[in-house]
């Protein structure tokens, strides 16, 4: 079985983590404990950001960042038409209004379309106040273009870096380029803990201060509330798990990149497969390894691989903007997002996939097209 779930392998030796949890229990330092601070310091240092703030989830990381940047109910927020539901959920939880732009061949937002969307929305109910670029699959968005538009229109940029820890855009780490960057520590993400968890990075002292209030009910101290916030703290036990993962973050990233390169090399030869274009100035981290095949072959290929014990998946068969829940929010159409929904296939690329497993996957794909 070439499976997606590698967590039993990742945590095959949990004893050192249990030891630290036992020590924590002796102290009772459960809520925003010292280990949360230790984790934040190490996370910030790993990413080269000034501040890291641990929160309850990646979704909350986006929501709190938008709030800290002053985004209010009704404000327009531009994002990609093909992201995971959480990006949209976070925007809508604040009462803000998601506005979609289409994607390009590398699965991320087509930044050439942002200006047009902003201009169009000037006639809409409320103007655009922020952009949430999503580094989907671990592939960086063209951030120079996003930042140029942001300057021109005075917009806040919250990077959804939930799938892209340690991805690089022109030597810069994704998540540290905009005003805030949101990360997820969900068990399915590249750096994962045992439950929900999230982190926000920012280089702004002002936002860092606001975010620390917002995650803890807006409490300045035990008795004083300065703003109304949320209950969204990174759990101290999960911070302990995270502290055991962070020292391996670079090695995990490198392994995923090597695995992706190996797939690239062998799948490029197949005339039915379209790989995302390679950009010299980007280093993707392959949260997902995704390629496209002609629409009519997509579901048969996924079924074929599943029957051969390979957990191939589709991210996602129904684009978020077409989901029933968004009927009232979005009436537009995004042709390239639709094409991708019909053509994409994801195969396991994590740090535990072995070369023989990759060869097996490659051979089964070749066999299918033969
Ligand atoms: C996983 C994910 C999130 C949300 O993260 P959670 O920790 O599950 O709340 C947001 N955006 C994207 C693109 C994601 O993949």
């Amino acid at each position: 079985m070439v499976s997606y779930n590698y967590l039993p392998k990742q945590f095959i030796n949990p004893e050192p983590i249990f030891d630290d949890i036992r020590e924590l229990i002796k102290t009772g330092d459960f809520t925003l404990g010292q280990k949360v601070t230790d984790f934040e310091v190490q996370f910030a240092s790993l990413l080269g950001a000034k501040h890291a703030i641990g929160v309850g989830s990646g979704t909350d990381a986006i929501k709190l960042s938008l709030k800290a940047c002053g985004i209010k109910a009704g404000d327009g927020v531009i994002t990609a038409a093909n992201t995971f539901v959480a990006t949209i959920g976070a925007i809508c939880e604040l009462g803000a209004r998601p506005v979609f732009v289409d994607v390009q061949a590398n699965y991320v937002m087509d930044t050439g379309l942002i200006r047009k969307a902003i201009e169009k929305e000037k006639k809409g109910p409320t103007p655009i106040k922020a952009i949430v670029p999503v580094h989907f699959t671990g592939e960086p968005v063209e951030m120079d273009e996003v930042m140029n538009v942001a300057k021109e229109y005075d917009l806040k940029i919250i990077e959804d870096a939930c799938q892209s820890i340690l991805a690089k855009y022109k030597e810069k780490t994704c998540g540290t380029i905009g005003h805030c960057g949101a990360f997820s520590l969900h068990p399915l993400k590249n750096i994962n803990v045992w439950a929900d968890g999230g982190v926000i990075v920012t280089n702004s002292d002002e936002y860092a201060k606001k975010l620390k209030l917002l995650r803890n009910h807006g409490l300045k101290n035990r008795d004083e509330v300065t703003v109304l916030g949320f209950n969204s703290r990174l759990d101290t036990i999960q911070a302990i798990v995270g502290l055991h993962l962070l020292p391996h973050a670079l090695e995990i990233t490198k392994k995923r990149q090597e695995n992706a390169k190996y797939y690239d090399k062998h799948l490029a030869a197949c005339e039915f497969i379209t790989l995302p274009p390679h950009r010299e100035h980007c280093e993707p981290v392959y949260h997902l390894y995704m390629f496209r095949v002609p629409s009519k072959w997509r579901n048969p290929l996924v079924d074929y691989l599943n029957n051969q014990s390979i957990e191939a998946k589709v991210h996602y068969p129904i684009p978020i903007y077409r989901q029933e829940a968004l009927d009232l929010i979005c009436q537009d159409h995004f042709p390239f997002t639709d094409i991708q929904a019909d053509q994409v296939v994801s195969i396991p690329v994590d740090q535990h996939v072995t070369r023989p497993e990759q060869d097996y996957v490659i051979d089964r794909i070749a066999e299918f097209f033969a």
Side-chain angles (χ1 to χ4, degrees):
M1 183 82 180
V2 188
S3 63
Y4 244 88
N5 186 351
Y6 58 88
L7 296 172
K9 290 181 210 156
Q10 183 70 39
F11 296 105
I12 193 139
N13 175 22
E15 283 310 319
I17 303 179
F18 289 152
D19 288 344
D20 285 353
I21 293 174
R22 276 188 207 99
E23 287 307 306
L24 173 76
I25 292 168
K26 286 184 201 158
T27 68
D29 191 17
F30 293 140
T31 311
L32 293 178
Q34 181 60 41
K35 290 292 181 183
V36 173
T37 310
D38 293 351
F39 177 82
E40 290 170 337
V41 168
Q42 287 198 25
F43 195 92
S45 140
L46 176 69
L47 269 84
K50 193 162 177 199
H51 304 279
I53 299 97
V55 295
S57 68
T59 311
D60 280 1
I62 301 167
K63 180 176 75 177
L64 269 62
S65 297
L66 285 164
K67 177 109 177 163
C69 287
I71 303 309
K72 305 179 301 304
D75 290 347
V77 178
I78 286 184
T79 192
N82 74 335
T83 183
F84 179 57
V85 55
T87 317
I88 311 309
I91 295 168
C92 292
E93 265 192 82
L94 289 178
R97 191 168 56 87
V99 172
F100 297 99
V101 298
D102 208 353
V103 297
Q104 47 191 3
N106 50 27
Y107 318 121
V108 297
M109 176 187 276
D110 182 346
T111 48
L113 301 174
I114 299 176
R115 273 191 184 79
K116 213 169 95 194
I118 295 172
E119 291 298 330
K120 191 173 158 214
E121 288 301 319
K122 281 185 173 165
K123 294 185 217 95
T126 50
I128 299 297
K129 291 286 176 59
I131 304 176
V132 179
V134 184
H135 305 296
F136 190 60
T137 74
E139 182 80 45
V141 177
E142 279 298 335
M143 286 306 292
D144 277 357
E145 292 183 33
V146 173
M147 297 315 287
N148 285 341
V149 178
K151 237 181 235 155
E152 195 179 321
Y153 290 91
D154 191 23
L155 306 177
K156 298 294 192 244
I157 305 301
I158 288 89
E159 291 174 73
D160 180 342
C162 287
Q163 298 193 358
S164 66
I165 188 165
L166 291 171
K168 292 270 173 66
Y169 174 80
K170 296 192 177 170
E171 320 277 289
K172 292 182 203 138
T173 309
C174 288
T176 68
I177 305 168
H179 297 90
C180 296
F183 293 85
S184 169
L185 302 171
H186 182 279
L188 290 177
K189 300 298 158 79
N190 289 17
I191 298 300
N192 39 20
V193 295
W194 294 348
D196 282 303
V199 194
I200 302 162
V201 299
T202 181
N203 290 319
S204 151
D205 297 343
E206 183 200 333
Y207 291 148
K209 203 171 147 201
K210 275 195 198 166
L211 287 163
K212 285 189 175 166
L213 286 172
L214 286 173
R215 74 169 167 187
N216 194 26
H217 306 292
L219 282 163
K220 189 170 99 183
N221 52 46
R222 192 179 172 283
D223 301 316
E224 288 171 90
V225 180
T226 37
V227 289
L228 281 176
F230 303 92
N231 178 352
S232 184
R233 298 170 293 249
L234 176 62
D235 182 85
T236 308
I237 291 175
Q238 301 312 327
I240 287 175
V241 180
L243 278 165
H244 282 265
L245 255 290
L246 287 186
H248 305 288
L250 288 168
E251 160 199 328
I252 288 170
T253 305
K254 202 163 152 261
K255 192 77 201 340
R256 283 177 174 267
Q257 289 167 332
E258 282 167 10
N259 287 349
K261 213 168 174 182
Y262 191 75
Y263 279 141
D264 279 351
K265 195 174 108 193
H266 290 88
L267 296 180
C270 176
E271 59 175 315
F272 298 106
I273 289 182
T274 308
L275 299 175
H278 176 69
R279 288 170 297 162
E280 228 21 87
H281 57 280
C282 292
E283 281 177 42
V285 292
Y286 302 97
H287 172 62
L288 304 171
Y289 184 88
M290 216 152 93
F291 58 85
R292 287 194 285 138
V293 298
S295 309
K296 65 173 174 180
W297 295 120
R298 202 275 304 277
N299 290 344
L301 173 62
V302 171
D303 290 345
Y304 185 79
L305 295 177
N306 289 167
N307 286 334
Q308 306 285 329
S309 305
I310 297 163
E311 260 192 287
K313 289 183 191 276
V314 174
H315 298 88
Y316 302 99
I318 307 172
I320 182 65
Y321 88 88
R322 280 185 178 276
Q323 294 283 355
E324 188 186 341
L326 277 91
D327 275 358
L328 294 176
I329 294 174
C330 181
Q331 260 89 54
D332 288 342
H333 289 289
F334 302 95
F336 211 57
T337 295
D338 289 348
I339 290 174
Q340 286 181 13
D342 287 342
Q343 300 190 338
V344 291
V345 179
S346 312
I347 50 178
V349 71
D350 64 84
Q351 62 274 21
H352 296 281
V353 171
T354 63
R355 274 297 136 83
E357 285 177 327
Q358 286 197 283
D359 287 332
Y360 179 76
V361 174
I362 292 161
D363 289 347
R364 295 294 80 74
I365 293 173
E367 193 176 85
F368 172 83
F369 285 114

